[in-house]
Every structure is written in C-alpha cells, then in structure tokens.
Amino acid sequence: VAFGMGIDRSNVRLVVHAAMPKTVEHYQQETGRAGRDGLEAECVLLYSGRDVPRWEHLIGMSAESAEDPEAVIEAQTALLRHMQGYCRGLECRHRTLSRYFGQQYPHESCGACDVCLGEVQGLPDSTTVARKILSGVGRFERPFGVKYLVEVLRGANTATVRERRHDQLSTHSLMRDADEKTLVQLVYQLVDQGLLARSTGEYPTVSLTDDALPVLRGEREVRLSDPGGTKVRRTAVDEASWEGVDRGLFDHLRELRRELATEQAIPPYMIFDDNTLRELAQVRPGSLDTLVHVRGIGRKKLEQFGQRFVDAIVAYCQGNGLETDAAVGSRPSRTVERERRPNPVREQAMKLFADGRTVHEVAEAIGRARSTTAGYLSEYVEQHRPESIDPWVDADAAERVRAAAREHGHAMLRPIYEALDGAIDYETIRLTLAHARARDA
C-alpha cells in the first residue's frame, strides 16, 4: 500500500514484495521505484502458491458491487494468471517482462535476475517427485486440502487418517523423508503448472486435471524448482559499482551525511547522493583541491560541506591505515577549472579572519550565512595553522572538546557532541578539531 503514497526518491536501494502483486503492471510500476539514481538496486519478490487463491478471493469480493461481476472477475483473473506465470517461470525475468509489454529482449541472459544468476535450483528427479504427489491426490476417493495431502504423503498416523483408512493407501508414507514446508511448496508448484486444480471457498481442496494424466503415464516431463535450493549471488553490475570503494568509509560518510542533514534540517540526499558518497569512498580526497574533482560537488556544496567531508575522510584514512587521494574524481575538468576562478568573497573572509574578526562579524561583512562563514573559518585554520583559535573559541570549551576527541576519535562530531551533553555547539567542535589536525600536520 505504500506505493500509493507517492514515493519520489532517487536512491531507493531495495524493494520487497512480501507477496505476489495482482498484475504484472503493478509489479513493473512498483519495482521501477528502485535505483532511479543509476546505481544498482535489488527487488525481492516472496512468492507462494497460496498468493493466487488469496487474490482470487479478493477479486471475487470486490466484484460483487460491479454491474457485471463475471466480466470483472474474468478480466482481473486473466491479469492474475500472467503475474502467476511470471512468478513460477524459470526463464530470464527481464526477457519475460519485455515480452509481456510487447518488446524483444536481445540478450541470452540479463545477468541480474535469480534465473540468470543460477539462484533458482532445479529439483532433482522433478518428474518422479511430481508423479508421487499426483498419485497421492489420485488415490483419494474425493478431493482433500493441501495440508491433509501432505500429512498422508509424509505418513501421518492420526485418528483422522486411520478413520478414513488412508493409512492403507499405497501412497501413504510415499514421501516420508520430505520436509513438510518443502512438500507444500511443491504441491503449489503443481497447482501453478496446471497439473492440480485448487478449489475456491473456505476449505479449498486439490484435484487432478487432465494435464496431470500424461505425467502419471510417464508421457510428460515436469520441471520443479527446489524450494530450499536458492543461492544468492552478486550481479556483475553490483560488483563493478563497488570496485575500489571502501565500504567502511562509505558507511562512515553516510553517517556524516545524516549528521549534517539533522543540523541543517534537510533530507540527506540534498547534501550528497549515494553516487557522490560512493565516489568519495573510492577517491578518498585528502583536500578541497581533490574533493572538487568528485562528481556532484559544485562550488556551493564545496563551501557548505566540503571541509567536513575532507576532515572525515582524512581521519578515517589515518585510523585505518589508508592513503588519501587514491584515485581521480570523475567530474569534468573543464567544469572544475571554471569553478576554481578566484572567489573574492572567500578571500575577503580569509583576510578578516587573519585580523582576528569573529564569525558573526565576518558573516555580516561578506553577506553570507553563518554556516558558510564557519566553513571558511575551518578552511582558514586548516591552511594557515594559527597558533591559537582564541578569537573564535573559548579556551575552556576547546580543551573539553579535545579531551572528548581523545576518547571518541576525531572522525565524527556527533559522538563528541553527545559526550559533552550538547553543552558545546557543532561549530565549536568542528573548528577545534580542524585546529588540532592542522597543528598535528
């Protein structure tokens, strides 16, 4: 139901269907929410043969108020059958979807779906297993439900089984070693393939169809998937997109992004998207000069957030024995050079800070927001390494920050902020840490 609420985010990484959608159109539209930023995303559909009867029941209920209930049921059931075929199919999912929407998929394998990755394992001796289950249904004098069928096949010795004398059937205990849940899923696979028919109503039963007879006579082969044989594998796209990326640094930068978003009261993606964070974790820029070469970081964001990210990257690399500037960013050099033109406002701020002016005074003088001006001050401290930051930070507060940083590390501001019970603001913490790094460099 959440899909009806207007999900409009580019970086959805995972869409999970806990049960089968009722049409292929719904499935295509809902899974299409994932990966709109161009990065890999995963769509998981959890399917059971029980999903179909559930939808049939809902379709019947909703059609009761229609002018022509039979026509509505027929049309919606036809769409449901297409979705059922998609779920039970053992062909490339991409090709199946393309064909459904009237397009040809030119490749043998998409290299991304469960079928093409070999995650769907065929059940050994599928035809023999299918014949045993179908024989179990055929030996009953009247149709019974799936649960009871499974009990008999597994050799249950209940009072009900004995009263019905089903413990005397040749199919009793025929599949005694089969797991109950696995056997239930196999029965529903046979329903999906049209070899068994499942009735509607409060107590549905299963019975043989005409298509089951050739299987029982050994004239037709059956292919079943192993419910317990799924193996999850990475796609080639997933492998390539993480090549050279430090996962730990990526997660570290996501935390920083969340921290900044909280401070700015804006959504995290407005700071940097996942594409930019991933490139940052690959390039590991150690200065603003190399940071600006990362795609997604323009002049405005460089001024607003650049120093915070450089500080976090440098601290992480120092703590994990990694080199900074491990690669070259993908941002077009022509764009970088254009944005590197002299910034007179920044230069004016630097001169005012050299004169010992406060952040408030400089912000008013240059006509910029306090957050932007504080970023200029951090940059000034990093570059010029003043002996003292007393003009901007209370000495006692700075000492408390340094003590907390020794205990919690320099990489993130929030642990220090929380350790100080929020008594010292982020701006003071950031500037104190920048000064400490500059003095240690």
Side-chain angles (χ1 to χ4, degrees):
V1 294
F3 287 107
M5 298 170 65
I7 297 173
D8 187 23
R9 296 184 60 177
S10 66
N11 62 340
V12 174
R13 299 267 72 85
L14 173 67
V15 171
V16 177
H17 282 92
M20 183 188 77
K22 67 177 180 179
T23 70
V24 177
E25 286 81 1
H26 279 85
Y27 178 74
Q28 177 78 347
Q29 190 258 354
E30 291 160 5
T31 55
R33 304 285 185 176
R36 292 185 175 183
D37 56 4
L39 296 178
E40 81 290 341
E42 186 172 3
C43 298
V44 178
L45 168 56
L46 306 177
Y47 168 70
S48 166
R50 299 175 183 177
D51 295 341
V52 175
R54 188 180 298 115
W55 273 120
E56 289 174 338
H57 176 68
L58 293 173
I59 289 172
M61 290 180 60
S62 64
E64 290 177 357
S65 58
E67 292 184 7
D68 188 352
E70 292 300 324
V72 171
I73 291 174
E74 183 179 355
Q76 293 191 8
T77 300
L79 293 173
L80 181 64
R81 292 289 175 257
H82 285 296
M83 189 65 221
Q84 181 184 17
Y86 175 81
C87 292
R88 74 188 186 198
L90 298 176
E91 182 186 28
C92 169
R93 309 292 180 188
H94 199 151
R95 183 182 294 109
T96 303
L97 287 173
S98 296
R99 184 169 57 243
Y100 180 83
F101 290 104
Q103 299 175 356
Q104 292 297 318
Y105 187 65
H107 308 291
E108 285 297 317
S109 169
C110 70
C113 74
D114 57 339
V115 175
C116 292
L117 289 173
E119 294 177 355
V120 179
Q121 301 294 309
L123 186 71
D125 297 324
S126 292
T127 302
T128 301
V129 172
R131 291 180 66 186
K132 289 180 179 180
I133 296 173
L134 296 176
S135 297
V137 177
R139 289 291 187 272
F140 290 144
E141 68 280 2
R142 65 178 178 84
F144 288 93
V146 174
K147 183 178 179 181
Y148 184 75
L149 167 65
V150 169
E151 286 180 353
V152 174
L153 289 172
R154 296 183 70 240
N157 189 29
T158 64
T160 302
V161 171
R162 292 193 300 271
E163 286 172 7
R164 293 170 176 167
R165 302 181 62 82
H166 287 162
D167 57 327
Q168 306 299 315
L169 294 176
S170 60
T171 51
H172 184 263
S173 301
L174 187 61
M175 304 184 72
R176 65 172 65 86
D177 296 327
D179 174 75
E180 180 182 359
K181 291 184 179 179
T182 297
L183 191 50
V184 168
Q185 288 299 315
L186 292 174
V187 172
Y188 278 111
Q189 284 190 49
L190 295 177
V191 173
D192 286 343
Q193 295 186 30
L195 302 177
L196 289 176
R198 188 173 186 270
S199 68
T200 58
E202 187 176 358
Y203 301 104
T205 60
V206 289
S207 56
L208 297 176
T209 66
D210 291 341
D211 289 339
L213 299 180
V215 178
L216 289 170
R217 292 194 296 260
E219 300 170 356
R220 175 183 167 184
E221 296 292 315
V222 176
R223 185 181 178 188
L224 300 171
S225 62
D226 185 353
T230 299
K231 296 181 180 179
V232 179
R233 293 185 171 92
R234 280 175 168 263
T235 68
V237 173
D238 186 47
E239 293 286 359
S241 65
W242 284 102
E243 186 176 355
V245 177
D246 187 285
R247 294 287 191 112
L249 179 55
F250 175 76
D251 291 336
H252 187 67
L253 296 179
R254 288 186 69 194
E255 286 299 317
L256 174 59
R257 181 177 65 178
R258 186 178 294 114
E259 182 178 301
L260 286 168
T262 301
E263 293 177 21
Q264 301 278 335
I266 58 176
Y269 69 85
M270 291 185 66
I271 296 174
F272 294 133
D273 61 22
D274 285 0
N275 250 325
T276 299
L277 293 189
R278 199 170 295 196
E279 187 168 323
L280 284 171
Q282 181 185 45
V283 174
R284 305 199 293 269
S287 68
L288 294 176
D289 286 338
T290 51
L291 182 76
V292 74
H293 287 280
V294 172
R295 187 178 293 273
I297 302 181
R299 180 186 296 175
K300 184 176 180 181
K301 289 191 175 182
L302 185 72
E303 293 177 353
Q304 286 182 296
F305 312 118
Q307 196 61 52
R308 291 283 292 275
F309 276 87
V310 168
D311 293 347
I313 291 168
V314 170
Y316 179 89
C317 290
Q318 289 175 347
N320 291 274
L322 299 174
E323 292 185 2
T324 56
D325 302 323
V328 179
S330 64
R331 194 157 180 248
S333 57
R334 197 175 294 175
T335 304
V336 174
E337 291 303 321
R338 186 169 62 248
E339 294 194 352
R340 273 183 165 177
R341 293 168 186 167
N343 182 349
V345 174
R346 175 183 172 279
E347 297 304 322
Q348 181 186 1
M350 294 295 180
K351 292 178 181 178
L352 292 172
F353 286 131
D355 292 337
R357 305 286 288 275
T358 66
V359 173
H360 177 72
E361 291 171 337
V362 176
E364 286 195 340
I366 66 176
R368 293 292 186 269
R370 182 181 180 88
S371 59
T372 301
T373 308
Y376 286 148
L377 177 55
S378 292
E379 191 176 341
Y380 170 80
V381 170
E382 290 272 10
Q383 291 181 1
H384 297 278
R385 304 179 186 179
E387 288 291 330
S388 171
I389 54 174
D390 289 348
W392 309 289
V393 175
D394 177 75
D396 179 63
E399 182 54 40
R400 291 180 63 193
V401 171
R402 285 190 286 267
R406 285 192 291 270
E407 181 178 352
H408 298 281
H410 291 70
M412 300 293 288
L413 305 190
R414 176 168 290 181
I416 298 174
Y417 178 81
E418 293 176 349
L420 297 171
D421 296 324
I424 298 177
D425 59 57
Y426 279 105
E427 184 181 302
T428 298
I429 298 171
R430 180 167 58 251
L431 187 58
T432 302
L433 297 182
H435 182 248
R437 282 191 295 270
R439 299 294 293 171
D440 292 341

